[in-house]
C-alpha cells in the first residue's frame, strides 16, 4: 500500500521566495504534522512525504498511490484543494486533516473523501485500516491525544536541505488569546510528553539546529516550569549537541535557574509574543498574562540575552486602539525592549478564533471570498477592516515599522551592542540582514495585493 503525505506549497514562503533571497532558506520549516502521521503509520504502508515548499514534484510521473493525506494551514487551503482534485480525478482517495480542516470542516468535506478533525494521533491507524478495506468514513475526530501516544516523528523520511529539524514536547495553551487558534484546536490543558520520549526523539534528528514547535515550551504555572527544568536537565545530561530555538511567554525571564538550564540544554533563541505595548491592547487581545504589574520588559529581555539566548519579539498591528503612527511606535518600543529581531503581523481573524466570531458579527472581514481569499490569511496582509487605519494606511504603518527597525543605523547599533555584551554578533548580523533583504519583496507583495483588491468589484476597495 502506497501513501503520499503532502504539505501544499505555502504562499508565505513563495512570497519571500528562497530563490530571491538565499537567507530565506532559514524560513522553510519541516512539516512536523506529516512526520508524526508517518510515525503512526504501520509498516505495510510505503510512505512518501512531499513538502511542496522544497519544490512541487511532477505528480503524473510518480507511482500511483493508494491513499493521499493532505495537511493545510488556512493559507494553504487553495493549493490543498488543487491537489485533492488532481488525485480524486485519478480515483485515489484523499484524506485531509490539520487546523484548516478542523476549523472549516464543511468547506473541506466538499473537497476531500474523508476529513480528520483535531489531533490525529489516536485515530490515524483506524483511518488507514478503513482505507485498506475500501471503507473510509467521511469524517473522523481524533479529539485531544494522550501525550504518551504521540509517536516519534519520522525524521528519516524528509529530504536533507532543511536548516532546522523540528520536534514537539507539549500541546495546548490555557491563555486563549482572541486572535490565536491554539486553545480552540489543542485545548486549554497544557499537556506534556514524557521527558525520555523527547530526549530520545531529539537523538533521532539529523540536523544540528532544531525548532521546538511548542506554543509555549515552559508553560505558565509553577509545575510547568518545574517540568521544563527537568526536561532541560535531561537534555543537557544526554549531551545532545543540538542548538535549538523555541516559543515562550515572557515569564521565561523570571527564573535564573530555568534560563541557565535552557542555555545548557542548547537554547539559542526564543520567540516571544509581546503583541502590543499598550495595556488596553492586551485586554483587547485577551492576553492578560502579559499584563503583569511592575514588569520591566527591557530588563526581562536582557536577562534572557545574558544567557546567550537571542530574543525575537512579535507584535500585532491593526488593533482597535492602533492609530496612525503605530508602525513607528512598535519599532521604537521593540528597540527599547532591546529585542534582537522584530516580527510584526497584521491582526487577522483566523477561522475558529474568538476574533473571527467578533469581526464576522461586526461585518469587518473584508476579504471573504472563500476559499480563494484564504491565500491572504498569512498574517502578512491586512484582510479585515481596521478601526482607525485604512487599507493603504495600515500597509504604510507596517512598511514604516520594518524600515525603521531594520534601518542600517539600527542594525549596526544592535550588532555593536551584541559585541559589547559578549553575545554572538555574527548571528545577529545575518538574521537582521535576512529580515532587511525581505523588505523589498514585502513591498512588492503589498503592491500586488493592493492592485488585486483595487480590481475587485465586491466593495472591499478603500476599507
Ligand atoms: C511550527 C508552526 C509553524 C511553522 C510551520 C512548519 C510546517 N511546515 O508545518 C512556521 C514557522 C513556518 C509557521 C508558519 C506559519 N504559521 Co504556524 N504554527 C506552527 C505551530 C506553532 C506548530 C505546528 C506544528 O508543527 N504542530 C505539531 C504537529 C504534530 O501538530 P499539528 O500540525 O496540529 O498536526 C496534528 C493534527 O493537526 C493532525 N493533522 C495535521 N495535518 C494532518 C493531515 C492529515 C491527512 C491528517 C489525517 C491529520 C493531520 O495530526 C497531527 C498529529 O496529531 C502552530 C501552532 C500549533 N499548536 O499547531 C502554528 C500555526 C499552525 N501557525 C499558524 C499560522 C497563522 C502561521 C502563518 C500563516 C503565520 C505566520 N505569518 O507566521 C505561517 C504560514 C505558514 C503556511 N504554511 O502558510 C496558525 C494557523 C491557523 C490557521 N487557521 O491556519 C497556528 C495554529 C498558530 C496560531 N497562532 O493560530 N508555523
Ligand atoms: S498566542 Fe500564544 S499565549 Fe496566546 S493562546 Fe496562542 S499560544 Fe497561547
Amino acid at each position: 500500500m502506497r501513501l503520499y503525505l503532502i504539505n501544499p506549497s505555502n504562499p508565505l514562503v513563495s512570497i519571500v521566495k528562497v530563490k530571491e533571497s538565499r537567507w530565506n532558506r532559514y524560513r522553510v520549516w519541516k512539516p512536523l504534522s506529516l512526520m508524526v502521521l508517518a510515525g503512526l503509520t504501520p509498516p505495510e504502508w510505503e510512505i512518501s512525504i512531499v513538502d511542496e515548499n522544497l519544490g512541487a514534484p511532477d505528480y503524473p510521473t510518480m507511482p500511483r498511490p493508494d491513499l493521499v493525506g493532505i495537511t493545510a494551514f488556512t493559507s494553504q487551503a487553495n493549493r490543498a484543494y488543487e491537489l485533492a482534485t488532481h488525485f480524486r480525478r485519478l480515483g485515489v482517495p484523499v484524506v485531509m486533516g490539520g487546523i484548516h480542516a478542523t476549523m472549516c470542516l464543511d468547506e473541506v468535506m466538499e473537497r476531500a473523501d474523508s476529513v480528520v478533525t483535531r489531533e490525529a494521533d489516536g485515530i490515524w491507524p483506524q483511518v488507514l485500516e478503513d482505507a485498506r478495506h475500501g471503507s473510509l468514513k467521511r469524517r473522523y475526530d481524533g479529539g485531544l491525544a494522550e501525550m504518551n501516544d504521540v509517536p516519534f516523528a519520522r525524521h528519516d523520511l524528509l529530504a536533507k536541505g532543511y536548516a532546522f529539524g523540528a520536534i514537539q514536547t507539549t500541546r495546548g495553551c490555557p491563555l486563549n488569546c482572541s486572535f490565536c487558534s491554539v486553545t480552540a484546536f489543542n485545548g486549554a490543558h497544557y499537556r506534556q510528553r514524557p521527558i525520555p520520549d523527547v530526549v530520545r526523539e531529539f537523538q533521532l534528528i539529523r540536523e544540528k539546529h532544531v525548532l521546538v514547535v511548542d506554543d509555549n515550551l515552559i508553560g505558565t504555572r509553577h509545575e510547568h516550569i518545574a517540568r521544563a527544568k527537568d526536561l532541560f536537565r535531561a537534555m543537557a545530561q544526554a549531551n545532545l549537541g543540538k542548538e535549538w530555538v523555541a516559543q515562550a511567554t515572557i515569564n521565561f525571564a523570571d527564573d535564573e535557574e530555568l534560563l541557565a538550564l535552557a542555555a545548557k540544554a542548547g537554547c539559542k533563541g526564543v520567540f516571544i509574543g509581546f503583541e502590543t505595548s499598550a495595556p488596553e491592547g492586551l485586554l483587547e487581545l485577551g492576553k492578560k498574562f502579559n499584563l503583569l504589574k511592575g514588569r520591566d520588559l527591557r530588563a526581562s529581555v536582557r536577562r534572557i540575552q545574558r544567557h546567550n539566548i537571542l530574543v525575537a519579539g512579535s507584535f500585532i498591528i491593526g488593533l482597535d486602539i492602533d492609530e496612525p503612527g503605530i508602525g513607528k511606535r512598535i519599532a521604537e518600543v521593540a528597540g527599547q525592549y532591546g529585542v534582537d529581531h522584530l516580527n510584526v503581523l497584521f491582526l487577522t481573524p483566523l477561522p475558529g478564533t474568538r476574533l473571527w466570531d467578533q469581526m464576522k458579527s461586526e461585518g469587518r472581514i473584508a476579504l471573504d471570498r472563500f476559499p480563494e481569499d484564504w491565500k491572504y490569511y498569512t498574517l502578512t496582509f491586512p484582510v479585515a477592516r481596521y478601526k482607525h487605519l485604512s487599507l493603504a494606511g495600515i500597509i504604510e504603518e507596517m512598511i514604516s515599522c520594518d524600515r525603521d527597525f531594520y534601518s542600517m543605523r539600527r542594525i549596526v547599533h544592535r550588532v555593536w551592542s551584541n559585541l559589547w555584551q559578549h553575545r554572538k554578533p555574527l548571528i545577529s548580523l545575518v538574521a537582521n540582514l535576512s529580515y532587511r533583504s525581505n523588505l523589498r519583496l514585502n513591498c512588492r507583495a503589498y503592491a500586488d495585493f493592493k492592485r488585486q483588491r483595487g480590481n475587485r468589484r465586491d466593495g472591499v476597495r478603500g476599507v
Side-chain angles (χ1 to χ4, degrees):
M1 300 292 284
R2 185 174 289 124
L3 170 68
Y4 288 173
L5 293 173
I6 309 181
N7 184 32
S9 66
N10 155 5
L12 199 57
V13 172
S14 64
I15 288 164
V16 286
K17 285 185 199 111
V18 176
K19 277 185 219 123
E20 297 194 42
S21 167
R22 63 202 164 92
W23 305 116
N24 286 325
R25 181 168 119 73
Y26 298 98
R27 292 192 175 189
V28 183
W29 307 88
K30 289 191 169 183
L32 185 58
S33 54
L34 300 182
M35 295 152 68
V36 169
L37 285 187
L40 295 161
T41 303
E44 61 267 28
W45 289 85
E46 183 194 312
I47 314 166
S48 302
I49 299 186
V50 178
D51 181 3
E52 292 201 333
N53 292 327
L54 292 187
D58 186 12
Y59 292 103
T61 64
M62 292 166 69
R64 186 181 192 278
D66 298 289
L67 182 70
V68 169
I70 305 178
T71 189
F73 296 174
T74 290
S75 54
Q76 294 166 289
N78 288 293
R79 177 62 185 154
Y81 299 148
E82 279 172 20
L83 290 165
T85 306
H86 168 79
F87 283 105
R88 293 178 85 194
R89 276 204 193 115
L90 299 176
V92 178
V94 170
V95 185
M96 279 186 63
I99 184 92
H100 188 72
T102 302
M103 299 307 184
C104 296
L105 178 62
D106 293 342
E107 181 189 289
V108 178
M109 291 272 278
E110 281 174 29
R111 293 160 174 89
D113 298 289
S114 179
V115 180
V116 179
T117 49
R118 299 197 283 173
E119 299 175 4
D121 311 62
I123 198 89
W124 182 239
Q126 180 65 52
V127 177
L128 292 175
E129 197 52 22
D130 290 353
R132 221 154 64 89
H133 295 104
S135 56
L136 261 184
K137 296 187 186 60
R138 289 282 288 137
R139 186 190 166 188
Y140 298 83
D141 181 32
L144 300 181
E146 286 294 330
M147 294 310 269
N148 293 339
D149 293 343
V150 176
F152 292 154
R154 289 287 303 272
H155 297 275
D156 55 315
L157 282 180
L158 274 170
K160 293 187 178 144
Y162 293 87
F164 285 80
I167 193 169
Q168 186 174 43
T169 95
T170 62
R171 289 186 188 164
C173 178
L175 300 187
N176 198 13
C177 304
S178 67
F179 57 89
C180 173
S181 346
V182 170
T183 309
F185 185 83
N186 296 106
H189 181 50
Y190 186 67
R191 291 165 292 144
Q192 301 135 355
R193 285 180 76 190
I195 289 175
D197 283 9
V198 176
V199 172
R200 178 75 196 102
E201 189 170 332
F202 252 109
Q203 288 165 333
L204 300 175
I205 298 176
R206 280 188 295 240
E207 291 80 8
K208 178 163 177 67
H209 300 103
V210 179
L211 168 70
V212 181
V213 306
D214 302 24
D215 295 291
N216 185 356
L217 176 60
I218 58 161
T220 47
R221 294 162 58 155
H222 181 70
E223 61 271 26
H224 304 161
I225 307 282
R227 182 264 182 185
K229 286 183 184 173
D230 287 344
L231 173 66
F232 299 154
R233 279 190 199 101
M235 287 168 66
Q237 203 174 3
N239 208 4
L240 298 171
K242 303 285 185 197
E243 298 190 341
W244 48 271
V245 294
Q247 305 183 89
T249 27
I250 187 64
N251 55 326
F252 189 40
D254 297 349
D255 187 324
E256 276 296 331
E257 187 188 24
L258 180 72
L259 287 168
L261 287 168
K264 203 167 165 208
C267 182
K268 294 291 168 199
V270 66
F271 189 91
I272 295 180
F274 295 100
E275 325 306 359
T276 164
S277 64
E280 55 284 25
L282 289 170
L283 286 175
E284 183 187 324
L285 297 173
K287 196 156 187 168
K288 293 193 202 123
F289 189 76
N290 279 17
L291 270 174
L292 293 179
K293 287 199 187 77
R295 181 185 287 287
D296 177 344
L297 286 166
R298 183 178 175 78
S300 297
V301 168
R302 191 64 200 102
R303 270 201 300 280
I304 299 173
Q305 290 169 334
R306 255 188 228 120
H307 291 266
N308 258 320
I309 298 173
L310 290 170
V311 178
S314 179
F315 286 77
I316 300 178
I317 204 165
L319 277 63
D320 285 356
I321 57 154
D322 288 348
E323 298 197 1
I326 182 66
K328 281 211 165 1
R329 171 88 191 116
I330 291 175
E332 189 187 308
V333 164
Q336 279 163 8
Y337 292 174
V339 300
D340 297 287
H341 312 289
L342 169 65
N343 191 29
V344 186
L345 299 163
F346 291 107
L347 184 70
T348 302
L350 290 168
T353 60
R354 289 190 285 127
L355 182 66
W356 170 275
D357 293 342
Q358 182 207 329
M359 284 197 160
K360 194 156 171 51
S361 70
E362 292 169 1
R364 292 173 59 189
I365 299 183
L367 283 170
D368 60 356
R369 269 198 214 159
F370 302 127
E372 296 80 33
D373 280 345
W374 290 133
K375 64 176 177 287
Y376 295 118
Y377 281 62
T378 52
L379 321 194
T380 56
F381 294 107
V383 298
R385 298 183 173 88
Y386 300 92
K387 206 157 194 170
H388 303 294
L389 299 163
S390 66
L391 166 69
I394 195 167
I395 290 177
E396 277 316 308
E397 295 297 337
M398 182 66 95
I399 293 173
S400 90
C401 176
D402 283 341
R403 283 209 177 123
D404 208 356
F405 191 83
Y406 290 106
S407 66
M408 265 334 233
R409 185 180 59 84
R410 283 194 187 241
I411 291 180
V412 169
H413 174 77
R414 277 195 291 278
V415 172
W416 179 249
S417 12
N418 271 8
L419 198 65
W420 189 245
Q421 293 159 5
H422 304 292
R423 301 197 293 128
K424 294 196 172 129
L426 193 62
I427 298 184
S428 169
L429 181 67
V430 168
N432 273 284
L433 290 178
S434 141
Y435 272 89
R436 190 180 152 85
S437 74
N438 276 325
L439 300 186
R440 187 179 40 87
L441 297 176
N442 290 350
C443 286
R444 209 189 303 157
Y446 296 141
D448 287 348
F449 173 73
K450 279 202 266 187
R451 203 168 32 251
Q452 280 167 26
R453 276 188 68 167
N455 288 340
R456 281 168 53 157
R457 293 175 192 283
D458 57 3
V460 296
R461 197 183 333 195
V463 292

